[in-house]
């Protein structure tokens, strides 16, 4: 089958969604293709959620430029889209006097990049702010403007906004081949289909170099750099109220410990260069490395409250900087490549710039009837007693608690499936509602969530997947197994 | 929002909640309500379709559903109301219970007494920090049991089971009988915490190898599980390099421990014991919060449902007495875990206790030919010989009230003495 | 001939030695600590038996029916009995205690429903 659109965006991570959201405000047909089964299946679902202030990137780099601009845009965007944003602040801690110069250079760098409110604070002040930090702390860079968001919730909300305003999202489409078309457009081929567009936007994350290299002389070499994490439960009071960074040291880049916007605690990441860009396994070595480093920040570290581990793959270029903008060799080909940290923080600004450039290239008019969107984020869990009572009265499905650990109701799960870019999988529901993210990690709610997905989408229960592909939950009915091979070769001796 | 008052509110209609309700009604309390989040009463027994329940209580071996039905029938006969499909959202220290259901909406119920009977949840993979991919096909044994026995679906075809406690063993047999292939049962400790009977009838009967001193060290599979690596562990439970075995499987069942489900209890200000992860209670099963009682698996993980029923019946009687007589004199003796003993319940005994007190605990290891000793201060109160004590079986010793009365001291110690 | 067997009646798990004749007849047992152990050893080494519990689908019900044998059945027949169970085609209503298969495979044991599905 052939598909055609004015603009095709490859990749529906935070970058692709930010671009899609901005482009949906213009009069043009926009199609987003993603190889995954849902929004944000790549690095976006596996990053720390930190909106960096911007002191870390090299002055003059694209990273610095987009980070600072993007971070400034976040509060407004989160408010408009009704997604959580918390300016919890951060500190970069020095645990040795020799690290003081690193802290100071970070501060200078930050000032050059345009970051505000940075200051160096001494040990006593650090301990007062963060009593559980290693008492050997010497000093720290205080970064009050550092914030946390949920990276995939941001992507979902941006995608919903875009979809509501006419953008089409197509999943399970992996772009194999990209070529220039005769009339200066582009042809993209997936396994069974062809796609045509006038302007092409490359937001393909780990696959960004593959797309780039098919269209340009100048070839990019992408390094797939994996980062593993611990995620701790949010049940008890958290040891830290801010994001705590470590200085890069002789041991390599340090690890961070950070609250998440929903009150969990994140610890990590590692930085391992791997060959297979989709290998998001965690490893014994990586996990123990994180603990060994994290204990420097948190001496009484405990993983007793660990609820899961995960990893994400950074799209790292040797140049160590982003590539953002129209490719000089290929008119109509726009890119956001090498989007690793601070990619999340930069996304709104990249979205704005790329969409403006594409709009100029195609002479697009701005729509006058753009519809606004608010993510359905008043969770039952967060409602007051009065609001809960009203909610159940208006929709009895609020009275059915499906995920008891996070108090997620049937109403919210159905709503997640029925969003403009709705959930179709267990993980899709999980990331939109938090069902399955609590203490029991879906042990209780999984069968119920699967049933609701099946009911709402018409997908038979045996076809419901955890996260797309062949990640089926079930292998068949009791009936089919009984009538099949009955008891296996397994002997009764 | 519905507002009402009920004398005794019981959270959970599993064997614990049902027994407590029956006791309270038999004690003469009219106003009782059992709140249950599932569609039907019976608790976890609904999905425990294997037999082995009720040998002590009914002198018969029943399946889970049959055992539960006995108490459900009694509750119905006594006309004790059970509100199903209703979830308790919070319990306050002054016993205000907030719950919600699709049918009745939000309810705030002021209880004269609350009995916590919420049971347990299972330890998930994240708590084990097992490395590998996050693919489909990894289930806690209880979730798999629910799919097979209540939903009518098989979670997979080729199964490895991590953990040789009874739930894992039972599921090894269940999956096999229902047509799947179970490749191995893997246990990190040098012994299984499950019953010998289950080792024979769930593993040996079906040629399923049991690997003691082993654990899963890697999980493979992009979308759906494709295989696991199993390694031997050393005395510190750390994997030994070079001992890796690979299993091609599409399903990994985790049977790695039960955790009492005490979120509501914490919200009510109930103190928990780190040894049991359940509430600290006295011999009447009252928690640290006046008028809030706890019984069954939410108090401590049981191995026999008969004991759950017995204990919960006592809790129901206590709650009824609380309604009639009010707060008891708060003067206690502490009960402390001595050598070889873990998680003794109750953790406190009233100084003027006038009924026999049954102390239940888990041995910390296997003891052959030993004696359970209870001491108060320097005085030995009672002792009981035990041919065999194992962590997989709850042990008990009963204190007669006259023995308590004849002694002095603030602390009771329960310990194991080797003969 | 001799057979070693572990008793399952209590956590002691006594290790017993059973002596059988050439034709498999029980001769003697040693190593047990109580008479129940001896009885178990004799049964297990000559005519091992098991209770079977399982779930079977019921037309019109999402929840399968849980069933059990009314008494222990010969261990070597477990697979065949499961095959018989697999051939069942059940419909509602079902009452706990209801006989689903009478005298399954001539064992003298019935297959009985253990839950109500109205």
């Amino acid at each position: 089958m052939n598909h055609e659109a004015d603009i095709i965006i490859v990749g529906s991570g935070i970058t692709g969604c930010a671009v899609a959201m901005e482009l949906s405000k213009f009069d043009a047909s926009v199609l987003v293709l993603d190889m995954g089964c849902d929004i944000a299946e790549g690095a976006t679902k596996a990053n720390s959620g930190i909106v960096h202030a911007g002191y870390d990137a090299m002055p003059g780099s694209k990273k610095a430029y987009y980070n600072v601009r993007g971070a400034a845009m976040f509060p407004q965007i989160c408010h408009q889209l009704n997604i959580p944003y918390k300016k919890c602040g951060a500190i970069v801690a020095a645990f040795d006097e020799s690290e003081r110069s690193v802290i100071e250079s970070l501060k200078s760098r930050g000032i050059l990049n345009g970051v505000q409110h940075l200051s160096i604070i001494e040990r006593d002040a650090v301990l007062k702010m963060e009593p559980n930090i290693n008492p050997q702390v010497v000093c720290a860079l205080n970064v009050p403007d550092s914030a946390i968001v949920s990276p995939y919730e941001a992507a979902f909300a941006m995608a919903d906004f875009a979809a509501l305003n006419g953008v089409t999202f197509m999943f399970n489409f992996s772009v194999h081949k990209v070529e220039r078309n005769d009339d200066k457009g582009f042809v993209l081929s997936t396994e069974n289909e062809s796609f045509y567009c006038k302007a092409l936007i490359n937001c393909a994350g780990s696959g960004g170099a593959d797309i780039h290299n098919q269209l340009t002389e100048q070839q990019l070499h992408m390094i797939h750099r994996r980062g593993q994490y611990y995620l701790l439960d949010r049940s008890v009071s958290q040891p830290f109220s801010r994001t705590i960074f470590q200085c890069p040291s002789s041991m390599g880049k340090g690890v961070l410990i950070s609250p998440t916007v929903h009150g969990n605690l994140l610890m990590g990441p590692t930085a391992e260069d791997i060959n297979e860009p989709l290998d998001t396994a965690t490893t014994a070595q990586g996990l123990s490395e994180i603990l060994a480093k994290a204990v420097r920040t948190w001496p009484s570290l405990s993983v007793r409250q660990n609820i899961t581990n995960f990893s994400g793959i950074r799209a790292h270029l040797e140049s160590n900087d982003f590539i953002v903008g129209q490719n000089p060799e290929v008119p109509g080909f726009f890119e956001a490549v090498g989007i690793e940290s601070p990619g999340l923080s930069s996304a709104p600004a990249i979205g704005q710039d790329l969409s403006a450039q594409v709009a100029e290239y195609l002479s697009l008019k701005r729509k006058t009837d753009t519809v606004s969107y608010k993510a359905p984020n008043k969770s039952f869990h967060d409602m007051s007693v009065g609001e809960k009572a009203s909610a159940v009265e208006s929709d009895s499905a609020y009275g059915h608690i499906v995920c008891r650990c996070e108090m997620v109701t049937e109403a919210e799960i159905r709503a997640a499936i029925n969003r403009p870019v709705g959930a179709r999988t267990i993980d899709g529901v999980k990331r939109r509602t938090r069902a399955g993210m609590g203490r029991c990690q879906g042990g209780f709610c999984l069968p119920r969530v699967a049933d609701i997905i099946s009911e709402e989408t018409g997908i038979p229960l045996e076809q419901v997947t955890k996260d797309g592909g062949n990640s089926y939950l079930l292998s068949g009915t009791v009936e089919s197994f009984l009538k099949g091979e009955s008891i296996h070769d397994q002997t009764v001796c | 929002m519905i507002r009402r008052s009920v004398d005794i509110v019981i959270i959970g209609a599993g064997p614990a909640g049902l027994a407590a309700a029956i006791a309270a009604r038999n004690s003469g309390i009219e106003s009782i309500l059992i709140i249950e989040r599932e569609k039907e009463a019976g608790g976890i027994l609904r999905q425990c379709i294997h037999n082995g329940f009720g040998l002590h209580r009914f002198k018969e071996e029943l399946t889970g559903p049959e055992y539960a039905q006995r108490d459900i029938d009694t509750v119905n006969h006594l006309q004790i109301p059970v509100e199903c499909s209703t979830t308790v959202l919070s319990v306050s220290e002054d016993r205000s219970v907030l719950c919600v259901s699709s049918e009745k909406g939000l309810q705030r119920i002021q209880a004269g007494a609350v009995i916590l009977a919420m049971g347990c949840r299972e330890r998930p993979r994240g708590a084990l920090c097992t490395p590998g991919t996050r693919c489909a096909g990894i289930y806690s044994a209880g979730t798999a049991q629910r799919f097979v026995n209540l939903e009518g679906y098989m979670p997979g075809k080729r199964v490895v089971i991590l953990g040789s406690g009874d739930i894992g063993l039972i599921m090894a047999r269940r999956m096999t009988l229902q047509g799947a292939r179970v490749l191995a049962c893997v246990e990190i400790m040098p012994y299984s915490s499950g019953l010998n009977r289950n080792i024979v009838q769930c593993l040996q009967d079906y040629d399923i190898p049991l690997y003691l001193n082993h654990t899963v060290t890697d999980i493979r599979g992009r979308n759906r599980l494709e295989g696991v690596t199993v390694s031997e562990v050393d005395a510190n439970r750390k994997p030994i390099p070079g001992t890796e075995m690979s299993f091609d499987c599409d399903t990994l069942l985790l049977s790695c421990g039960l955790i009492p489900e005490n979120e509501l209890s914490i919200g009510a200000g109930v103190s928990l014991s780190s040894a049991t992860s359940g509430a600290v209670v006295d011999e009447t099963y009252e928690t640290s919060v006046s008028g809030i009682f706890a019984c069954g698996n939410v108090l401590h993980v049981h191995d026999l449902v008969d004991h759950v029923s017995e204990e919960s019946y006592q809790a129901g009687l206590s709650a009824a007495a609380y309604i009639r007589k009010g707060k008891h004199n708060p003067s206690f003796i502490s009960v402390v875990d001595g050598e070889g003993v873990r998680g003794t319940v109750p953790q406190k005994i009233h100084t003027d206790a006038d009924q026999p007190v049954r102390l239940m605990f888990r041995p910390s290891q296997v003891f052959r030919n030993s004696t359970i000793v209870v001491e108060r201060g320097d005085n030995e109160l009672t002792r009981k010989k035990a041919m065999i004590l194992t962590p997989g079986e709850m042990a008990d010793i009963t204190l007669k009230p006259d023995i308590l009365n004849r002694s002095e001291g603030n602390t009771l110690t329960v310990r194991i003495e080797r003969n | 001939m001799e057979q070693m067997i572990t008793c399952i009646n209590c956590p002691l798990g006594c290790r017993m030695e059973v002596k059988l004749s050439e034709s498999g007849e029980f001769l003697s047992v040693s190593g047990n600590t109580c008479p129940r152990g001896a009885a178990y050893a004799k049964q297990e080494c000559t005519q091992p038996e098991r209770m079977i519990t399982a779930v079977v689908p019921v037309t019109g019900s999402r929840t399968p029916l849980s069933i059990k044998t009314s008494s222990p059945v010969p261990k070597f027949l477990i697979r065949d009995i499961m095959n018989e169970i697999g051939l069942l085609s059940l419909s509602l209503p079902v009452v706990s205690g209801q006989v689903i298969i009478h005298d399954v495979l001539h064992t003298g044991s019935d297959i009985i429903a253990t839950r109500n599905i109205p």
Side-chain angles (χ1 to χ4, degrees), chain A residues 260-271:
Chain A
T260 69
V261 78
H262 288 294
N264 293 88
L265 196 72
L266 211 55
M267 285 197 313
T270 53

Side-chain angles (χ1 to χ4, degrees), chain A residues 447 451 461 478-479 482-483 485-493, chain C residues 55-57 62 64 75-76 78-79 82-83 85-89:
Chain A
D451 267 339
L461 195 60
V478 162
E479 183 167 4
L482 276 179
K483 288 178 178 347
E485 224 201 322
S486 199
I487 318 183
H488 253 277
D489 325 304
Q490 206 113 29
T491 359
V492 175
C493 52
Chain C
V55 282
V56 294
R62 161 76 172 258
K75 189 168 126 178
F76 74 93
I78 292 181
R79 186 212 285 255
M82 284 308 299
N83 284 337
I85 287 168
L87 296 174
L88 283 170
S89 191

Side-chain angles (χ1 to χ4, degrees), chain A residues 90-121:
Chain A
I91 60 172
V92 187
F95 295 103
D96 193 80
E97 199 48 55
S98 65
E99 292 177 340
R100 183 183 288 272
S101 54
V102 179
I103 303 291
E104 282 168 356
S105 73
L106 286 177
K107 180 182 171 201
S108 312
R109 210 190 286 177
I111 291 171
L112 272 175
N113 289 340
V115 181
Q116 311 226 303
H117 312 128
L118 296 173
S119 65
I120 311 269
I121 51 175

Side-chain angles (χ1 to χ4, degrees), chain B residues 331-346:
Chain B
S331 177
F332 296 108
I333 316 163
S334 296
V335 180
V336 162
D337 294 339
E339 190 177 325
V341 165
R342 247 190 90 76
T344 309
V345 170

Side-chain angles (χ1 to χ4, degrees), chain A residues 40-61:
Chain A
E41 286 282 299
T44 301
K45 75 175 193 227
N47 76 75
S48 62
I50 298 169
V51 180
H52 297 283
Y55 54 82
D56 190 54
M58 283 304 164
S61 68

